[in-house]
Each structure stands twice: as structure tokens, then as C-alpha cells.
């Protein structure tokens, strides 16, 4: 299952068994996986995002620059401690989880000196906000659905490219002589059709001027917008919704399997209790 492969970097202590780990590694996993600690990390991510936003204001930086920088470094230290502890606890297994690798890269970018050729990396510190994707299950579920929808979206994208090419060739042959700035060649036609698909100024800037020269050109624009804009957009939405439903069904199936396993274990316990009760009754009767 695709979504299961994208398991979260941090799991709650109740959901994961650490009995096979040395005591100190198990303690690290339980501590950083505890719900309260994870909520604290989420709060730090939100605070850090607010700090990075305030750093864009010269007025705020003039008044509170040193304080904000100190807070930013303190929060970064917590993030580094989290990644370091998990690396110590998991070793190379840490890099087998895509979400852990993502966290490692995002936090590692902040440790690169933001000077000289690496000055651009300073602006990438805001990527730390994306750690919320890993920390909040509902967001992680949506990202998993988007990634799971990539194969279907690739097919829809291929369909879009075919439609664009067909309509670009037709529009170039129809309108290139009278409107060379819009449909002079295949490249211009593709760009113009993309503008039409976004519905940005397509009527006043493109369609109406062309309709003054070609009165029946509205048929072309009507078919293209109906096909490329509404139909294709709905196809993209349908692929994503289908991926979300698939993930939901997989989670429901896993939950059903867990419930069935618990029922079987309870039934086995009941049978053992009944056997022990009968054994006690037999012993009690024999002792009399």
C-alpha cells in the first residue's frame, strides 16, 4: 500500500513496540514519540513560522531583531536535538523513512552558513514550516493521496497535452494570418490556449477580437473551454478524490483486521478462562 510506505517519521509510543531495542534507544523513541512532545514540536513549528514571517518586516526587526533571532536559534536547537536523538536511536533505519529524510534535509538547510554563495539558503529556512506535514496526520493523509494520485494525474496530463496540440494546430491554421501575435506559430498558439484555459482575459483580449473577424470562431472557443477547462479539471479532481477514497478504504481495512485480531485474542482468552474454571471445579470436587 502506497500510503503505508510513506509512514510518519515520529509515531506515538502506543502505536509502536520498542521491545527489540536497547533500553536507552527505546526511551528516546518513547520520549520523542509521546503525544505531548509532538504537540510541543508542532507549537514550535508554528512559532518558528511566525518568527520567519516577522523577519520580513524591517520595522519589527529594528525593534525585536535580536530577540527573534535568539528564539529562532533556540527552536532550531530543539529540532536538531530531535533529529539527533532519532538518528542515535534508529541508526541507518532513520534514512529508510521518506518523512525522516525530509525532516533531516529541512533542518539541515538551516545549519548551512547563510553567507556568500549560500546566502540564498537563508530564505529556505521557511521550509521548516513544511514539517507540519509530517506531524499532523490529516495533512499527511492528503499528501499521501496526492502522491498516490500521480500515476492517474500523469495520464490526465498526457490527455491535456494531446488536446492542446490538436487545438493548437487547428487554431494556428485558422487564425494565424489575421492574428499572428496570438496564433502566429505553434508555440504562440499553445501559450494563447493556455491563457484561455485559465480564463484570464480570454473573452475581451482574445475571443471577441477574433469573433469580429471570424464570427463563428466562438464554436472553437466554446469546445476548447468546455473540453480543456471544465472536463480536464474535473478529471484531476476525480483522480485525487479516488486516491483519498483508496487510502480511506485501506485504513478501514487495516482497522478491521486489527479489530478481528483483537476479537480472536479475546475469544482465546475466554476459552482459557473457561478451561481454568472447569479445572478449578474438578479440583474442588476431587478435594471433597
Amino acid at each position: 500500500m502506497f500510503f503505508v510506505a510513506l509512514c510518519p517519521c515520529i509515531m506515538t509510543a502506543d502505536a509502536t513496540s520498542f521491545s527489540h531495542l536497547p533500553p536507552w534507544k527505546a526511551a528516546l523513541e518513547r520520549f520523542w514519540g509521546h503525544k505531548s512532545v509532538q504537540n510541543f514540536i508542532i507549537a514550535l513549528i508554528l512559532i518558528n513560522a511566525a518568527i520567519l514571517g516577522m523577519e520580513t518586516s524591517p520595522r519589527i526587526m529594528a525593534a525585536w531583531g535580536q530577540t527573534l533571532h535568539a528564539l529562532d536559534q533556540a527552536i532550531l536547537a530543539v529540532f536538531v536535538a530531535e533529529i539527533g536523538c532519532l538518528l542515535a536511536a534508529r541508526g541507518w533505519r532513520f534514512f529508510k523513512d521518506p518523512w525522516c529524510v525530509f525532516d533531516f534535509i529541512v533542518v539541515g538547510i538551516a545549519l548551512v552558513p547563510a553567507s556568500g554563495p549560500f546566502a540564498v539558503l537563508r530564505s529556505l529556512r521557511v521550509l521548516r514550516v513544511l514539517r507540519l506535514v509530517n506531524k499532523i496526520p490529516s495533512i499527511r493523509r492528503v499528501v499521501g493521496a496526492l502522491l498516490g494520485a500521480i500515476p492517474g494525474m500523469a495520464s490526465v496530463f498526457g490527455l491535456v497535452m494531446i488536446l492542446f496540440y490538436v487545438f493548437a494546430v487547428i487554431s494556428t491554421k485558422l487564425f494565424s494570418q489575421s492574428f499572428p501575435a496570438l496564433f502566429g506559430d505553434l508555440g504562440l498558439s499553445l501559450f494563447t490556449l493556455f491563457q484561455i484555459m485559465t480564463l484570464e482575459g480570454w473573452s475581451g483580449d482574445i475571443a471577441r477580437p477574433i469573433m469580429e473577424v471570424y464570427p463563428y470562431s466562438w464554436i472553437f472557443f466554446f469546445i476548447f473551454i468546455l473540453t480543456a477547462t471544465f472536463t480536464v479539471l474535473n478529471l484531476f479532481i476525480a483522480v485525487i478524490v479516488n486516491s483519498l477514497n483508496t487510502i480511506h478504504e485501506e485504513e478501514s481495512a487495516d482497522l478491521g483486521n486489527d479489530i478481528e485480531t483483537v476479537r480472536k485474542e479475546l475469544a482465546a482468552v475466554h476459552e482459557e478462562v473457561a478451561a481454568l474454571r472447569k479445572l478449578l471445579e474438578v479440583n474442588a470436587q476431587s478435594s471433597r
Side-chain angles (χ1 to χ4, degrees), residues 224-243:
F224 175 76
I225 291 175
L226 187 64
T227 304
T229 303
F230 298 111
T231 304
V232 172
L233 178 62
N234 287 329
L235 283 175
F236 274 110
I237 295 173
V239 169
I240 295 174
V241 170
N242 181 66
S243 180

Side-chain angles (χ1 to χ4, degrees), residues 98-119:
W99 289 112
C100 290
V101 175
F102 174 77
D103 283 350
F104 181 83
I105 294 174
V106 169
V107 174
I109 287 175
L111 299 177
V112 178
S115 59
F118 300 104

Side-chain angles (χ1 to χ4, degrees), residues 56-76:
T56 61
S57 172
R59 180 175 59 84
I60 295 177
M61 288 300 294
W64 303 93
Q66 293 183 350
T67 303
L68 293 176
H69 180 71
L71 286 173
D72 180 72
Q73 293 302 308
I75 293 173
L76 177 60

Side-chain angles (χ1 to χ4, degrees), residues 20 23 61 92 110 136 202 239 259-260 281:
H20 63 287
M61 288 300 294
W92 290 108
I136 301 178
W202 75 274
V239 169
I259 293 175
E260 185 63 27
E281 291 176 354

